């Protein structure tokens, strides 16, 4: 997440980081994105959108207009493909 005082600086959200670490660990163990999503849902881990809503952050999407959003394989793939989670930033 972005630092509130310096929008150009990222700070680690430890709660979210724990979930991201699990996702990478399970993927390295050979689990599919769908299996990881199902596991997170079974554990009651809030999806990225639900987590942001729980923090009071403004977040909107056309995917979930009603009810609670769950983890999906697509959400897991987005995390696995996002190099920011590996510490890569595009600083120019």
């Amino acid at each position: 997440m972005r630092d509130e005082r310096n929008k150009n600086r990222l700070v680690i959200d430890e709660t979210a980081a724990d979930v991201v670490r699990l996702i990478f660990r399970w993927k390295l163990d050979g689990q599919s994105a769908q299996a990881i999503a199902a596991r997170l849902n079974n554990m009651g881990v809030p999806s990225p959108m639900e987590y942001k809503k729980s923090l009071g952050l403004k977040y909107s999407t056309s995917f979930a207009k009603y009810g609670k959003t769950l983890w999906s394989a697509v959400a897991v793939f987005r995390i696995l493909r996002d190099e920011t989670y590996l510490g890569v930033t595009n600083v120019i």
Side-chain angles (χ1 to χ4, degrees), residues 16-27:
D18 288 341
V19 174
V20 170
R21 288 182 193 105
L22 282 175
I23 291 170
F24 275 90
R25 183 177 310 124
W26 292 336
K27 185 61 180 168

Side-chain angles (χ1 to χ4, degrees), residues 7 12-13 20 25 40 43-44 56 63 74:
K7 301 294 182 193
I12 296 173
D13 176 334
V20 170
R25 183 177 310 124
L40 292 167
M43 292 171 59
F63 291 115
V74 172

Side-chain angles (χ1 to χ4, degrees), residues 42-76:
N42 288 337
M43 292 171 59
V45 175
S47 68
M49 187 168 96
E50 293 300 323
Y51 182 66
K52 288 177 182 179
K53 287 192 319 190
S54 76
L55 296 177
L57 300 174
K58 292 182 182 178
Y59 187 79
S60 63
T61 180
S62 60
F63 291 115
K65 298 217 181 231
Y66 309 101
K68 187 176 179 181
T69 58
L70 298 174
W71 281 94
S72 67
V74 172
V76 172

